Amino acid sequence: MKRPYEVVILSKGDFARTVRIYAPKHANRAVIMHDGQNVFLDSDATYNKSWRAIDVLKSANIKNTAVIGIDSIDATRGDDYLPFPSELDKYGISFGGGKSHIYADYIEQTVLPYLDKRFDFKFYGMLGSSAGALATLDFAARKNAEFKAYGMFSTPLFICPTSYGQFFNSATFDTTANYYVYVGGNECMDGAGEFSALVPQAYVDSTFMLTNMLRKGGVTNIKFMLENTAAHDENYWRAPEKEFFAVFSELS
């Protein structure tokens, strides 16, 4: 099967990831997405459900936006995406965490220079869900001037509640950028055990906390969406994805 996107492997020292690139001829901007194997095709996706990013762009008649998916690796995903070690050990849950600066450095020092050399993108956005939303939040705090929009869907701040409380006391964000925050009211978490009953409300509470902290930091360009019946998968993320792409495509 011929893929409708290009695949490259980019390395920084011993840190290497597969990067999937969909760049229409007239694209002058790009959205970087985490869990790249889940971005384009259901047949590639971890749970056979993808963002179907190309279909979403075409359905919205968006021709100026490229999508760059950076694959995750199961064994290191928590370390890559979480800036802090997980704090759910009392429930027997561990996501690792604490090394997201390495992943963020990789994006800034390897992925972006590669894209800048090959394409004429004027600016970037970033979109992630679940732990990928945490990676997006961590990256947003860097205030990289090349980025104008951040999408954070189903953001589980509850994985590291103490650390995120401290994080928001000191983190600052680009107040000129656009932020799109989304959560479903029926989200769940695989392998959560006795914590499972608390997860749906924890997602909602985390998202309200995220939005409030961004506003407290002076951010005004925030789109917040709560879909009461939505679960935790790409089937529900595609509608807000389309809206995120549409807004991003109109930025100048």
Side-chain angles (χ1 to χ4, degrees):
M1 176 182 177
K2 184 178 180 181
R3 301 296 184 200
Y5 53 80
E6 179 184 355
V7 177
V8 297
I9 297 176
L10 301 180
S11 303
K12 179 179 184 288
D14 60 357
F15 192 102
R17 294 291 181 269
T18 297
V19 180
R20 305 170 193 243
I21 301 171
Y22 173 71
K25 182 178 180 180
H26 299 292
N28 62 7
R29 64 200 65 198
V31 175
I32 291 178
M33 297 181 67
H34 312 294
D35 294 310
Q37 69 275 14
N38 298 337
V39 169
F40 296 114
L41 300 175
D42 291 353
S43 57
D44 292 337
T46 304
Y47 300 105
N48 297 314
K49 298 176 184 177
S50 74
W51 293 81
R52 300 180 186 173
I54 297 173
D55 293 339
V56 170
L57 286 172
K58 290 181 177 179
S59 70
N61 197 31
I62 296 172
K63 299 178 180 179
N64 67 350
T65 300
V67 176
I68 315 298
I70 304 175
D71 279 21
S72 59
I73 298 174
D74 285 346
T76 64
R77 185 172 182 266
D79 285 341
D80 288 350
Y81 290 178
L82 275 64
F84 315 109
S86 62
E87 299 171 18
L88 296 179
D89 292 347
K90 65 181 180 180
Y91 296 105
I93 303 170
S94 178
F95 291 96
K99 300 179 181 179
S100 64
H101 61 285
I102 298 173
Y103 176 64
D105 285 346
Y106 166 76
I107 293 175
E108 288 190 325
Q109 298 170 17
T110 302
V111 177
L112 293 182
Y114 176 84
L115 296 174
D116 289 340
K117 185 176 180 179
R118 284 196 54 194
F119 304 99
D120 191 26
F121 298 143
K122 295 179 180 179
F123 52 82
Y124 294 91
M126 182 175 286
L127 174 60
S129 62
S130 196
L134 298 179
T136 301
L137 173 62
D138 184 47
F139 194 89
R142 293 188 168 217
K143 296 191 291 188
N144 186 308
E146 292 187 84
F147 284 74
K148 288 196 172 187
Y150 299 96
M152 291 167 276
F153 297 177
S154 308
T155 310
L157 300 178
F158 59 83
I159 294 177
C160 319
T162 301
S163 295
Y164 274 111
Q166 297 169 351
F167 169 81
F168 284 117
N169 285 333
S170 58
T172 58
F173 301 92
D174 181 356
T175 57
T176 67
N178 286 259
Y179 299 81
Y180 194 113
V181 180
Y182 167 88
V183 68
N186 194 31
E187 308 230 18
C188 61
M189 178 186 293
D190 291 339
E194 64 179 288
F195 188 65
S196 295
L198 304 177
V199 169
Q201 188 61 46
Y203 269 111
V204 173
D205 291 345
S206 287
T207 304
F208 276 110
M209 177 184 179
L210 171 60
T211 305
N212 289 338
M213 290 300 101
L214 289 172
R215 287 177 176 146
K216 184 177 179 180
V219 174
T220 57
N221 299 323
I222 303 175
K223 168 70 175 182
F224 171 77
M225 182 176 180
L226 166 62
E227 188 176 356
N228 286 328
T229 60
H232 190 80
D233 68 48
E234 286 78 5
N235 289 332
Y236 293 95
W237 293 327
R238 288 188 206 114
E241 172 196 15
K242 183 175 182 178
E243 187 169 348
F244 177 84
F245 285 160
V247 171
F248 181 72
S249 72
E250 296 294 329
L251 295 179
S252 58

